[in-house]
Amino acid sequence: MEALKETSGVQTGAGVRARARTPFTKIRKGWRLYALIALPLIYIIIFKYVPMYGAQIAFKNFIVTKGIWDSEWVGFKHFDRFFHSYEFWRLMSNTILLSVYSLVAGFPFPIILALSLNYVKNQLFKKSVQMITYAPHFISVVVMVGIILELLEPRNGIVNNVLKLIGLNPINFMGVPEYFKSIYVWSGIWQSVGFGCIIYLAALASIDPALHEAAVVDGANKLQRMWHIDLPGIMPIAIIMLIMNTGHMLDVGFEKVLLMQNPLNIRTSEVIDTYVYKVGLTSQALNYSYPTAIGLFKSVINLILLIMVNKIAQKTKQASLW
């Protein structure tokens, strides 16, 4: 009997613990954490997943009065139209060149700035540089483009006034198609370099100070410490940022490109996003299916690039997203 009582007591205790471990009990205990994550989760569901329902119009001849379900299914007709259009290669080349230019030119600068600020001892100078480099990030795209246009204005712009002072003729920078990519990329670096280095400064702060102390004892200078301690320490973060930037290869900043466009530089400034906007919303003959197909094609290419670069990072034993 005593053995039976002990056995039943163990079973009763196990049942209580099992009930205590039910999902509802866990949620009730940590409801604050679930409430905290609820808002971003709801945002993602509403604005990221629900709109996927409308992506099917890329495969239909969408008519507003018929709705999505009742519109005629046309398969890959709109994709084929885009692939065989005379705009396809121009849009792809402009988008890819602008993205690669931005990635290659802009990726190292936040790292260089973070490494430089990490060794600055004068706190007043360090905070001043941080404030000056962070500030452009908080300027809206419209205001930033206005500043760029004023600086490069052919008659009274500061840049052309300097050219006049040294005896050179003024240049209509925004009217020369070959200058568009450089103006777009370097103005973007100016605006984002300070804010981008925050992540790398946080990564540098997590490096064990004992490594630097040992390197100083061994006679290493600052450049050697940067190369052998700091860069390996922030490399996982840099790889993750590179993978994420590659996943947005065909997203080049719709608003800024559109605001900087004009009839003179349209040959090199027209990208996929601006073309989709013009075809889908500003064209007299509204056609929602065609621009949706182009946008879906762009998203698929971005996803493929993201998976490929992440796979390469895994094969080379580097940090990866998954």
Side-chain angles (χ1 to χ4, degrees), residues 23 39 45 49 86 107 110 137 179 186 195 202 281 316:
L39 288 178
I45 292 173
Y49 283 92
Y86 70 93
F107 188 75
H137 175 79
Y179 291 165
W186 292 105
F195 193 80
L281 296 178
T316 56

Side-chain angles (χ1 to χ4, degrees), residues 133-151:
T133 54
Y134 294 169
H137 175 79
F138 300 99
I139 301 176
S140 69
V141 175
V142 176
V143 175
M144 179 58 68
V145 173
I147 293 173
I148 295 170
L149 295 179
E150 287 296 324
L151 290 174

Side-chain angles (χ1 to χ4, degrees), residues 69-99:
W69 280 109
D70 295 331
S71 296
E72 178 188 3
W73 181 272
V74 294
F76 290 92
K77 173 184 175 182
H78 302 297
F79 295 92
D80 185 69
R81 174 187 170 188
F82 178 58
F83 296 152
H84 290 88
S85 68
Y86 70 93
E87 297 280 359
F88 177 75
W89 290 112
R90 181 169 70 93
L91 293 174
M92 290 298 296
S93 62
N94 287 343
T95 304
I96 293 173
L97 287 175
L98 198 58
S99 297

Side-chain angles (χ1 to χ4, degrees), residues 12-191:
T12 303
V16 172
R17 287 194 296 271
R19 288 194 298 271
R21 293 173 183 172
T22 58
F24 179 77
T25 305
K26 292 180 180 180
I27 293 174
R28 187 176 61 184
K29 287 184 177 180
W31 69 269
R32 295 174 182 83
L33 296 177
Y34 287 97
L36 188 65
I37 200 175
L39 288 178
L41 185 61
I42 292 172
Y43 168 81
I44 292 173
I45 292 173
I46 293 176
F47 293 101
K48 301 297 181 180
Y49 283 92
V50 172
M52 289 183 183
Y53 166 78
Q56 61 182 301
I57 69 175
F59 304 94
K60 294 189 173 186
N61 186 20
F62 177 67
I63 300 175
V64 178
T65 56
K66 291 185 177 181
I68 295 177
W69 280 109
D70 295 331
S71 296
E72 178 188 3
W73 181 272
V74 294
F76 290 92
K77 173 184 175 182
H78 302 297
F79 295 92
D80 185 69
R81 174 187 170 188
F82 178 58
F83 296 152
H84 290 88
S85 68
Y86 70 93
E87 297 280 359
F88 177 75
W89 290 112
R90 181 169 70 93
L91 293 174
M92 290 298 296
S93 62
N94 287 343
T95 304
I96 293 173
L97 287 175
L98 198 58
S99 297
V100 173
Y101 190 178
S102 299
L103 185 61
V104 173
F107 188 75
F109 279 94
I111 298 176
I112 296 171
L113 180 61
L115 290 173
S116 303
L117 291 175
N118 192 49
Y119 285 89
V120 173
K121 300 299 182 183
N122 189 322
Q123 292 299 315
L124 178 61
F125 176 77
K126 182 177 181 178
K127 291 180 180 179
S128 299
V129 172
Q130 287 178 318
M131 183 188 67
I132 293 170
T133 54
Y134 294 169
H137 175 79
F138 300 99
I139 301 176
S140 69
V141 175
V142 176
V143 175
M144 179 58 68
V145 173
I147 293 173
I148 295 170
L149 295 179
E150 287 296 324
L151 290 174
L152 302 179
E153 207 274 326
R155 295 182 179 179
N156 300 314
I158 295 176
V159 176
N160 278 303
N161 286 337
V162 173
L163 292 178
K164 292 176 184 178
L165 289 176
I166 61 178
L168 298 177
N169 293 326
I171 301 172
N172 183 10
F173 289 96
M174 300 306 299
V176 181
E178 291 72 20
Y179 291 165
F180 177 84
K181 290 182 176 63
S182 295
I183 296 171
Y184 175 89
V185 171
W186 292 105
S187 62
I189 293 173
W190 168 45
Q191 187 174 13

